[in-house]
Amino acid sequence: MLGVVENHSLPRTAAFFDLDKTVIAKSSAFTFSKSFYRGGLINRRAVLRTAYAQFVFLAGGADHDQMERMRAYLSALCRGWNVQQVKEIVAETLHDLIDPIIYDEAASLIEEHHTAGRDVVIVSTSGAEVVEPIGELLGADRVVATRLVVEDGVFTGEVEYYAYGPTKAEAIAELAESEGYDLSRCYAYSDSATDLPMLEAVGHPHTVNPDRALRREAAARGWPVLSFNRPVRLKQRRPSLSMPPRPVLAVGGGGGGGPGRAPTAR
């Protein structure tokens, strides 16, 4: 357990979670590829390519160069997609695709942080159209995610805000300023060495199923190493641990200003 409930006379605190391979067992961006194929957004070749990228991602953690190539590929792939159609496909398939791959251990941690009075923030490199509904499903309070440029209701293929590496740490710092979080008392969780800036930004960093580089860093710095290996549907968990949907504040880029200043509850 995570200790005592927050003393609300003290500054507020939060727990920041990476999404892929930390809260869910796969890549959120690639999980919907077959649904996008059935919806006519991508062809079979793209499905196979995203399946291969998913394998690379899961096999040992994508490094910086691989992540950059994935970003360029996915942003180009999305060019011309109708944003509303994407949102509808995600909404229709969310429970079938994402619910079964949520780590039971992560869901329990999210609940424990809420019980202790902390906000829960999902910080993901995947696109907001995918991450925001997942954040709501998980009961998160806020979401930081990559945002693509939209014109006339379609993606242009350009990236407006990329939630990756140092940018995640910058978003956390801006959230701390706007929300009054004391980062020295905040928590962060990730599987990837590319998230070192995010982990270094808080007083209680934790590694989850870490890649080799992050495992070395964790050993050198004395950071906890957690092993999550029990994907489970939320409805199959004990009733006392089920998580009702919570309104999510979208954070980062876009019309709401910069990271940490999005005012609209979703």
Side-chain angles (χ1 to χ4, degrees), residues 109-120 138-141 246:
L109 261 181
I110 288 171
E111 290 161 342
E112 290 178 26
H113 281 297
H114 274 148
T115 299
R118 302 182 189 98
D119 284 353
V120 169
L138 292 166
D141 300 282
R246 299 162 65 96

Side-chain angles (χ1 to χ4, degrees), residues 186-198:
C186 288
Y187 292 70
Y189 301 85
S190 178
D191 70 291
S192 173
T194 60
D195 280 338
L196 275 172
M198 180 177 86

Side-chain angles (χ1 to χ4, degrees), residues 35-55:
S35 298
F36 293 152
Y37 169 71
R38 288 193 292 268
L41 293 176
I42 60 177
N43 57 30
R44 179 172 292 276
R45 181 178 180 182
V47 172
L48 293 174
R49 185 167 180 179
T50 52
Y52 173 73
Q54 173 89 272
F55 169 77

Side-chain angles (χ1 to χ4, degrees), residues 170-185:
E170 293 166 7
I172 287 173
E174 292 191 27
L175 262 181
E177 182 176 353
S178 65
E179 300 299 322
Y181 298 145
D182 178 357
L183 288 179
S184 70
R185 295 167 55 237

Side-chain angles (χ1 to χ4, degrees), residues 2 14 16 18 31 51 54-55 57 71 81 118 120 147 156 193 218 241-242:
L2 295 166
F16 301 95
D18 176 46
T31 296
Q54 173 89 272
F55 169 77
F57 180 79
R71 177 195 65 80
W81 287 10
R118 302 182 189 98
V120 169
R147 294 188 178 278
T156 67
L241 293 178
S242 63

Side-chain angles (χ1 to χ4, degrees), residues 2 24 33 35 47 50-51 64 66-67 73-75 80 135 137 159 170 181 191 194 204 213 225 245-246 258:
L2 295 166
I24 63 176
S33 61
S35 298
V47 172
T50 52
H64 174 77
Q66 288 171 323
M67 289 295 290
Y73 169 66
L74 289 173
S75 59
L137 177 67
V159 178
E170 293 166 7
Y181 298 145
D191 70 291
T194 60
H204 301 285
V225 176
R246 299 162 65 96

Side-chain angles (χ1 to χ4, degrees), residues 11-158:
R12 298 174 63 205
T13 57
F16 301 95
F17 287 82
D18 176 46
L19 182 58
D20 301 345
K21 292 205 296 184
T22 300
V23 175
I24 63 176
K26 297 182 180 180
S27 162
S28 52
F30 299 138
T31 296
F32 290 92
S33 61
K34 289 184 179 179
S35 298
F36 293 152
Y37 169 71
R38 288 193 292 268
L41 293 176
I42 60 177
N43 57 30
R44 179 172 292 276
R45 181 178 180 182
V47 172
L48 293 174
R49 185 167 180 179
T50 52
Y52 173 73
Q54 173 89 272
F55 169 77
V56 171
F57 180 79
L58 295 174
D63 60 22
H64 174 77
D65 290 341
Q66 288 171 323
M67 289 295 290
E68 284 296 316
R69 288 196 295 272
M70 288 181 193
R71 177 195 65 80
Y73 169 66
L74 289 173
S75 59
L77 184 67
C78 294
R79 185 181 298 120
W81 287 10
N82 181 282
V83 177
Q84 186 58 37
Q85 183 183 6
V86 171
K87 290 181 177 180
E88 290 172 358
I89 290 173
V90 171
E92 290 168 0
T93 57
L94 179 69
H95 287 275
D96 288 339
L97 296 178
I98 299 299
D99 199 349
I101 61 173
I102 295 170
Y103 284 122
D104 188 26
E105 300 94 335
S108 295
L109 261 181
I110 288 171
E111 290 161 342
E112 290 178 26
H113 281 297
H114 274 148
T115 299
R118 302 182 189 98
D119 284 353
V120 169
V121 184
I122 302 297
V123 187
S124 176
T125 304
S126 293
E129 287 74 20
V130 168
V131 179
E132 287 173 16
I134 294 175
E136 186 171 354
L137 177 67
L138 292 166
D141 300 282
R142 287 169 178 77
V143 160
V144 176
T146 294
R147 294 188 178 278
L148 301 179
V149 176
V150 177
E151 291 182 2
D152 298 325
V154 301
F155 293 120
T156 67
E158 298 176 351

